[in-house]
Amino acid sequence: MTDIQLIVGLGNPGPEYQYTRHNAGAWFVESLAKNYNCSLKLENKFYGYTGRISISGQDIRLLIPTTYMNKSGQAVAAMAKFYRVPLSGLLVAFDELDMPPGVAKFKIGGSSSQNGIRDIVSKMSNQRDFLRLRIGIGHPGDKNRVTGHVLGKAPQHEQQQIEDAIDEATRCLEILIKDDLKKAMNRLHSFKAE
């Protein structure tokens, strides 16, 4: 069994960002909350919306930070410290430019150019070996167009692909908790939404 205790979905707060690609991580946590009948509540001491679910008897806390993406570490560190969540018990979901829409992958550690992940690493004593769920949003093809791309809404077909990948990742999370990471990776990494 994998000892995941805290799942964080990254995004930007406010209605103007709710449907933008940068909020793919937050959509994953919203999907989990919906699937497990959990209503997320604003908790100021954790700088975010939080909830609690149980998967295969494993107690898991959910967090969607209400800080901006580049300050995500503030919320993650506050909640991880309060509940004494070890690095190995953390899963962070976020949007990934280097993967196409319709694809999602688990990964442990490594570097990241994603601002939210960078801030979490810096607030967690520069430790980076936590589990990540990368949700593909595609790359606009030119680095000067990245900001507009991540802060823009995906066309309907792409949005559906992203949602299908999130749906599959939600299913694979159960495999991860019940069985192991390798089995969950094998299934999720072979998935590609049409």
Side-chain angles (χ1 to χ4, degrees):
M1 254 175 91
T2 309
D3 191 28
I4 296 296
Q5 298 167 39
L6 173 59
I7 299 175
V8 183
L10 302 188
N12 279 315
E16 69 272 34
Y17 293 112
Q18 192 174 355
Y19 301 107
T20 63
R21 292 179 181 94
H22 222 14
N23 278 36
W27 300 338
F28 174 69
V29 168
E30 286 167 358
S31 166
L32 284 176
K34 190 173 159 211
N35 284 9
Y36 291 93
N37 297 318
C38 162
S39 54
L40 298 169
K41 295 177 183 63
L42 183 61
E43 276 199 77
N44 291 327
K45 71 177 174 182
F46 298 134
Y47 310 97
Y49 286 93
T50 69
R52 200 168 166 182
I53 61 174
S54 177
I55 301 177
S56 299
Q58 172 85 5
D59 190 38
I60 299 171
R61 293 182 188 279
L62 304 177
L63 170 65
I64 298 176
T66 49
T67 55
Y68 282 96
M69 181 68 81
N70 58 356
K71 299 272 186 222
S72 298
Q74 183 181 20
V76 177
M79 200 159 172
K81 191 174 171 187
F82 186 85
Y83 290 112
R84 296 192 173 94
V85 176
L87 210 62
S88 60
L90 177 64
L91 167 60
V92 181
F94 63 98
D95 58 296
E96 175 61 77
L97 279 164
D98 296 329
M99 288 174 7
V103 172
K105 295 189 174 181
F106 289 117
K107 173 187 176 186
I108 293 180
S111 63
S112 181
S113 57
Q114 214 273 7
N115 290 335
I117 295 291
R118 269 210 303 248
D119 192 58
I120 291 167
V121 168
S122 80
K123 298 290 188 298
M124 302 292 273
S125 312
N126 287 320
Q127 296 181 70
R128 41 182 89 241
D129 291 337
F130 51 88
L131 186 60
R132 303 160 191 204
L133 173 65
R134 300 154 63 216
I135 301 164
I137 60 164
H139 196 288
D142 179 343
K143 67 178 185 359
N144 297 321
R145 289 173 43 214
V146 164
T147 302
H149 182 74
V150 298
L151 297 179
K153 292 180 184 178
Q156 194 173 356
H157 176 66
E158 274 183 28
Q159 183 65 32
Q160 189 58 56
Q161 289 176 313
I162 293 168
E163 286 172 16
D164 289 349
I166 287 171
D167 191 49
E168 180 67 8
T170 303
R171 288 196 193 98
C172 290
L173 179 67
E174 289 183 36
I175 297 169
L176 171 74
I177 304 289
K178 239 190 308 207
D179 299 314
D180 59 38
L181 179 59
K182 188 168 186 247
K183 203 167 175 183
M185 278 178 152
N186 287 342
R187 175 164 160 178
L188 185 59
H189 296 193
S190 62
F191 178 83
K192 168 86 171 86
E194 292 307 313

